[in-house]
Amino acid sequence: MDKLRVTNHITDDDLRIKMYKVVDICNIVLKNYDIRQTEFLNPFEVKNAVAIINSEQNLSCRIDGGYDEAERSVISIYPYYMELDNDDVNIRFLQIEGNFKFSSVSHRDYLGSLMGLGIKREKIGDILVHDDYCQIVTDAEIADYIVYNLLKVSNNSVKVREIDRNELAIGIQNFEEKFYTVSSLRVDNIISAVLNISRQKASKFIEAGFVTVDYQKIEKPSFIVPEGAIVSVRRKGKFILSEVGDLTRKDKVKIRTKKFV
């Protein structure tokens, strides 16, 4: 598989580098006739990777994030004549438990504690937060390391144990819902309203590569955000443009957003 040919349509440097890794895995599978696996990818990265894999008729693939509606998934790549089952996918499932009655522990807290162990984000799948525990999907190779080394989350002592795939439960996701009026559905307008910053500052975030819409990096402030899209601003948060309403008398657009908290 020609790495340059199958990625020449990709303009984002970070995405291209990740897809180079996917191509490398494809070529190893074609050479060795075995099963290989990507790191955890977001939905936009998965879409691009699957397109690359499907361009080679001798390959098949399977997407697996541990449960049906997973956000982050690994892709198993294998020769077209093979069959794959759950045991062939190198992911494991952990539950983090602690006494969180007197403190609120968020997705960010769990992720920060995992990153504090020196673990790359690409090695961790979804983090499913519940009232008094959290479940995570992880690369099989680092599961034991997490079990023995993750001792605290946000100053709370925790214990980690392995669970089965069928014990995963969809986490509680809290949102802060708000209404705004914006002059247009340009991404800089919407970020400016939701984060309560100037359009100029919103544009700087976009130009710095800090903004994604549905996990795709956005490079132009004039990009029009579709209804239902997930907008993320690095280090500032993530929200859904949940509804686009009618125009006001001054021809501004009414919108409703749900910010992840």
Side-chain angles (χ1 to χ4, degrees):
M1 185 178 289
D2 187 325
K3 184 181 296 185
L4 296 179
R5 179 182 61 80
V6 297
T7 61
N8 63 6
H9 63 287
I10 299 174
T11 58
D12 176 47
D13 290 339
D14 292 336
L15 179 62
R16 186 187 300 110
I17 290 169
K18 288 192 175 186
M19 293 306 103
Y20 282 171
K21 293 179 181 179
V22 172
V23 175
D24 288 339
I25 294 171
C26 289
N27 286 331
I28 291 171
V29 172
L30 289 169
K31 180 179 178 181
N32 297 337
Y33 307 103
D34 60 2
I35 302 169
R36 297 295 173 107
Q37 183 174 295
T38 68
E39 295 179 320
F40 284 94
L41 304 172
N42 69 39
F44 185 67
E45 292 164 348
V46 167
K47 179 182 177 180
N48 279 270
V50 169
I52 289 171
I53 297 163
N54 287 342
S55 70
E56 172 52 65
Q57 62 180 358
N58 292 314
L59 295 176
S60 289
C61 65
R62 172 177 164 179
I63 303 165
D64 193 345
Y67 62 104
D68 287 344
E69 297 181 10
E71 179 178 296
R72 298 174 62 82
S73 302
V74 297
I75 305 176
S76 297
I77 306 171
Y78 51 95
Y80 73 95
Y81 52 81
M82 284 188 179
E83 294 185 0
L84 206 67
D85 57 37
N86 287 342
D87 293 336
D88 294 317
V89 183
N90 292 319
I91 57 176
R92 290 164 67 182
F93 313 95
L94 304 178
Q95 184 156 307
I96 304 169
E97 301 167 343
N99 184 0
F100 303 123
K101 291 182 180 179
F102 304 105
S103 63
S104 177
V105 183
S106 67
H107 182 284
R108 183 175 297 181
D109 294 322
Y110 285 109
L111 179 58
S113 296
L114 291 165
M115 300 299 99
L117 297 178
I119 297 171
K120 294 196 307 178
R121 183 66 180 98
E122 291 79 8
K123 293 293 184 181
I124 302 293
D126 281 8
I127 299 173
L128 306 174
V129 179
H130 300 267
D131 285 336
D132 54 356
Y133 68 96
C134 169
Q135 297 174 328
I136 63 172
V137 185
T138 178
D139 186 295
E141 293 180 355
I142 63 167
D144 290 337
Y145 178 77
I146 294 172
V147 169
Y148 293 116
N149 290 280
L150 184 62
L151 305 177
K152 284 194 172 185
V153 174
S154 188
N155 295 320
N156 296 279
S157 296
V158 297
K159 292 184 179 180
V160 186
R161 64 183 178 90
E162 185 164 6
I163 60 174
D164 291 331
R165 177 189 290 260
N166 58 17
E167 294 180 72
L168 287 178
I170 303 300
I172 300 169
Q173 181 60 65
N174 296 317
F175 296 99
E176 179 183 48
E177 188 172 76
K178 286 193 175 182
F179 294 85
Y180 304 93
T181 57
V182 292
S183 59
S184 75
L185 296 179
R186 285 171 52 121
V187 65
D188 58 345
N189 280 332
I190 294 175
I191 290 173
S192 173
V194 174
L195 299 185
N196 193 26
I197 59 176
S198 68
R199 279 183 59 188
Q200 289 77 12
K201 190 168 185 179
S203 294
K204 287 182 179 179
F205 285 138
I206 296 164
E207 292 162 2
F210 290 177
V211 175
T212 63
V213 175
D214 285 337
Y215 306 95
Q216 179 179 1
K217 187 184 294 184
I218 300 303
E219 299 176 342
K220 294 182 179 180
S222 59
F223 179 87
I224 301 300
V225 181
E227 185 177 60
I230 298 174
V231 181
S232 178
V233 183
R234 191 184 306 171
R235 303 190 187 96
K236 297 296 181 180
K238 182 167 67 171
F239 61 90
I240 302 170
L241 178 59
S242 56
E243 183 180 345
V244 176
D246 298 328
L247 294 177
T248 68
R249 291 181 179 178
K250 295 183 178 180
D251 289 332
K252 289 195 172 184
V253 185
K254 297 178 183 179
I255 64 171
R256 179 174 63 177
T257 65
K258 294 165 62 176
K259 189 174 182 181
F260 293 80
V261 295

